[in-house]
Structure formats: C-alpha cells, structure tokens
Amino acid sequence: MAKILIILDERTLYLYQNNQVVRSFPVAIGKASTPTPTGNFSIINKLKNPYNKALGTRWMQFTHRMHGIHGNNQPSSIGKAISNGCVRMYNKDAEFLYDRVSIGTPVEIRQNRRTGSKNKSGYSYYTVKTGDTLYQIAKKFNTTVEKIIAINPNIKNKNTIYPGQQIKIPD
C-alpha cells in the first residue's frame, strides 16, 4: 500500500510503499498567507492533463477545499513557499507519483519531522538541500554537528554531505 508523507520544513514529499521510502521529491508549498494544511488526508481525486495549465500535467486532490499535489508550469518555484496551499512538483515527478497512487492513498502532511509521534529508533531522517551545511542542519534540529556525525557513519567530516543525501538526525 502506498503512502505519501510531506515534510513542509524540508520542502520534500516522500512516497512510501509497504512502509519503505521508494523515492523523495523536492516540492513547493504554500506561502505564509495561504499555507499548505497539515494533518492526515487522502487522495480524493486525480486528473491527467488538467485544463488549468498552472497545475502541470497531473493533479492529485487531497482536500475538499481544492488543495492538491500537482505538477506546475513554473519549475523555478520548486523548493519555495510560494503556492496558494497546494504542493507543487516538477511535472516528471508528479507523473511518477500519479502512476503509483490511487484514490484513497493516505497523505500525511507535517510541518517538520518532530511533529507527530516519536521515532522509536532515536532518530529521524532529513534530506540535504542545496546550500545546506551540517551546522545549519544541526541548528535547525536543535542538535550538534558532532551528534549528527556520530550516528551517520558515511559522514566523515562536515564537508561530506551533498544535496539529495538522506542523513539521520538525533531525536
């Protein structure tokens, strides 16, 4: 069974299959005046090639107030808080997701990894973004660079992270 998890602070959508992350995607989210809603939803409608070209090539609605996950005609918006509450994706990513979810697929939207239930493993994951440093990530999650390095054996020093890499963050 598929599941979608969106972490707003990370500007990332995770596609799960059988409780395993299949893929993650960068997204744009709602701006401060029209934020993306948080909570538990499900896909309630899907459209291929919607009439409104601003929605890109795919539309997956998750609220009755017309919030959806969709492609877009402004790829430079990805990674920003810029939409009217929807979750924007690159068209190719929206097409990939569309083919793997169905009406009823759960959609969980959280502000950050720390909201919701605690992870029993003692850590959560963060996807490194372009321009991130370990110092910035540690500050964002109220931890230290040393603690991040300690639970990530693939990180030898502060210069060995790269965009797209998933790293563990101590709880």
Side-chain angles (χ1 to χ4, degrees):
M1 166 99 168
K3 176 188 171 183
I4 295 169
L5 171 64
I6 300 166
I7 306 293
L8 299 175
D9 284 355
E10 294 178 13
R11 312 277 199 278
T12 303
L13 181 151
Y14 297 91
L15 173 62
Y16 285 79
Q17 192 71 40
N18 300 319
N19 294 318
Q20 298 290 322
V21 175
V22 173
R23 203 146 153 215
S24 64
F25 306 94
V27 296
I29 62 170
K31 57 189 173 231
S33 59
T34 55
T36 301
T38 57
N40 293 306
F41 309 93
S42 62
I43 300 296
I44 58 175
N45 190 19
K46 291 174 59 176
L47 289 174
K48 271 188 181 182
N49 302 312
Y51 178 73
N52 182 345
K53 295 304 175 201
L55 301 177
T57 59
R58 300 293 184 271
W59 164 256
M60 294 155 276
Q61 183 179 344
F62 63 85
T63 76
H64 291 287
R65 295 184 347 232
M66 298 306 291
H67 291 104
I69 301 165
H70 61 83
N72 76 90
N73 61 359
Q74 297 177 338
S76 63
S77 70
I78 301 302
K80 299 176 183 169
I82 199 169
S83 79
N84 289 326
C86 287
V87 177
R88 294 183 189 172
M89 304 178 76
Y90 292 116
N91 283 326
K92 65 179 175 49
D93 293 345
E95 291 166 9
F96 180 92
L97 183 66
Y98 184 96
D99 290 342
R100 286 157 181 81
V101 300
S102 55
I103 302 295
T105 296
V107 177
E108 180 181 355
I109 304 176
R110 294 184 190 174
Q111 188 62 42
N112 56 54
R113 292 243 177 220
R114 303 227 177 242
T115 55
S117 59
K118 278 281 192 187
N119 182 339
K120 292 182 179 118
S121 61
Y123 59 83
S124 51
Y125 286 96
Y126 174 73
T127 303
V128 176
K129 308 284 181 265
T130 302
D132 275 348
T133 66
L134 275 178
Y135 174 78
Q136 291 169 328
I137 295 168
K139 186 176 177 185
K140 179 178 188 171
F141 291 100
N142 196 28
T143 188
T144 65
V145 169
E146 292 76 20
K147 287 180 180 176
I148 293 173
I149 290 173
I151 64 169
N152 288 279
N154 57 332
I155 299 176
K156 303 297 182 216
N157 61 56
K158 63 183 180 180
N159 299 318
T160 58
I161 63 169
Y162 54 88
Q165 176 184 18
Q166 279 203 331
I167 62 173
K168 294 176 186 173
I169 304 294
D171 285 337

